Amino acid sequence: MRVSANKVQLNFTNKTYGTIHSEFFLNCSGPSGQKVYDLKKGLKPRGGYLSSVITCPKGLQDSAIGIQRTLSGSDAWYTPRIAI
């Protein structure tokens, strides 16, 4: 979700009974290109929680998207696009 003019908050929660062996990212994008922030690897079962507020740099403040990717990189899931 958008927190302010250039800040985005991304939340992931693991509600399963196993560890989620994935990588979690936030990607800021705009006219200057894009920047990917590596947030965390793995979420513990039942209560594993990731909450992070990222300030997207100038020129990369049009939109952001959250990404969960398997460690092998073969599968990825995306949050809805967040307009900044």
Side-chain angles (χ1 to χ4, degrees):
M1 67 180 159
R2 181 176 178 259
V3 176
S4 66
N6 61 347
K7 292 184 187 297
V8 175
Q9 182 169 4
L10 190 64
N11 303 315
F12 288 104
T13 304
N14 181 3
K15 296 179 180 178
T16 73
Y17 288 97
T19 299
I20 296 179
H21 297 289
S22 290
E23 298 173 308
F24 298 90
F25 304 93
L26 179 75
N27 183 23
C28 296
S29 60
S32 297
Q34 59 184 2
K35 181 173 175 77
V36 178
Y37 293 89
D38 187 353
L39 302 178
K40 189 173 178 66
K41 290 183 175 79
L43 286 181
K44 66 181 182 179
R46 305 302 292 177
Y49 183 67
L50 167 62
S51 181
S52 188
V53 176
I54 300 291
T55 302
C56 292
K58 186 173 182 175
L60 306 175
Q61 298 175 357
D62 282 0
S63 65
I65 194 163
I67 306 161
Q68 176 187 344
R69 186 179 73 183
T70 57
L71 294 177
S72 67
S74 59
D75 292 303
W77 299 268
Y78 301 89
T79 66
R81 180 180 163 276
I82 303 162
I84 305 171

